[in-house]
Amino acid sequence: MYIPYLEALFDSKLFWEITITLISILEVGVVFSQAVMVWRNKSGESLSTRWFLFFVALCTSTIIYGIVKRNPIFIINGALFLSVRCAVLFGLYKFKGFTREEWGIAACLLILLASIVFLPYPEEYYFAFCMASVTSLYLQPIEMITTKSRGVVDIKLLAIGVVGNIVWLLYANHMQDPVLISVLPLFLLGYTITTFCYVFLPSKKLLEART
């Protein structure tokens, strides 16, 4: 059934700005909940440090990309996520520490972020950061499988990752953004795989009860 008003709604820029803002606020709240879980338990067990390193870099590159594209949605989204993801990352540093390789990754990411400001082709750089973040996302289920535990991973973080990426994918198709259309299905797959790992792995308390 053809509903012109509904089609007009989905074609409205204001509709997508409100929708993305609301889902972003919800996602930020969930990431904050993950930060609280890390700091409250004083543990980063089964939570991938490299995943959050790359995602902090992605948030920063999203802000830069938004400035270049003059898109306030990218700027606001990147800024909101940067603050809460840094809270998680600082907790992981405090309670897990960084390996030499992770310090090296952090240094390389800082150099690459600085290069976006001064070099051309921001779309290509942003695409590279998205692809690197996608790769790092798949390290999270590997970490959980390695520790054989959910650890302090918050299921809400994974659930909102699935829902949020679906909404962003719809927005990307509306905007016809080739970068987001290319990488968001990979993000969605990564969050889905990690969610399945969470469901089938035991919690930390269950493991302690068995020992």
Side-chain angles (χ1 to χ4, degrees), residues 120-168:
Y121 312 113
E123 290 85 359
E124 287 77 0
Y125 271 96
Y126 186 60
F127 178 76
F129 272 102
C130 287
M131 291 305 297
S133 298
V134 166
T135 304
S136 71
L137 171 57
Y138 287 86
L139 296 176
Q140 180 54 50
I142 293 174
E143 177 112 1
M144 294 167 67
I145 292 170
T146 301
T147 59
K148 298 179 181 179
S149 170
R150 301 171 183 172
V152 294
V153 178
D154 191 344
I155 184 60
K156 296 192 296 294
L157 179 69
L158 307 180
I160 196 63
V162 172
V163 175
N165 274 280
I166 291 173
V167 174
W168 269 95

Side-chain angles (χ1 to χ4, degrees), residues 62-137:
T62 298
I63 297 172
I64 298 171
Y65 184 66
I67 293 171
V68 172
K69 301 289 285 187
R70 297 181 180 179
N71 189 324
I73 289 180
F74 283 85
I75 299 171
I76 295 171
N77 184 269
L80 288 173
F81 274 103
L82 182 61
S83 59
V84 288
R85 288 193 183 277
C86 280
V88 178
L89 187 61
F90 291 150
L92 292 174
Y93 169 70
K94 181 176 179 61
F95 303 118
K96 288 179 67 175
F98 286 2
T99 64
R100 184 177 300 177
E101 290 79 9
E102 287 163 351
W103 278 116
I105 290 171
C108 291
L109 289 173
L110 283 173
I111 294 171
L112 289 172
L113 284 170
S115 68
I116 296 180
V117 179
F118 300 105
L119 297 178
Y121 312 113
E123 290 85 359
E124 287 77 0
Y125 271 96
Y126 186 60
F127 178 76
F129 272 102
C130 287
M131 291 305 297
S133 298
V134 166
T135 304
S136 71
L137 171 57

Side-chain angles (χ1 to χ4, degrees), residues 16 20 162-177 179-186 188:
W16 285 110
I20 292 297
V162 172
V163 175
N165 274 280
I166 291 173
V167 174
W168 269 95
L169 187 56
L170 293 172
Y171 173 68
N173 278 283
H174 169 71
M175 295 295 293
Q176 289 299 298
D177 190 302
V179 174
L180 294 180
I181 291 173
S182 299
V183 300
L184 284 173
L186 299 175
L188 182 58

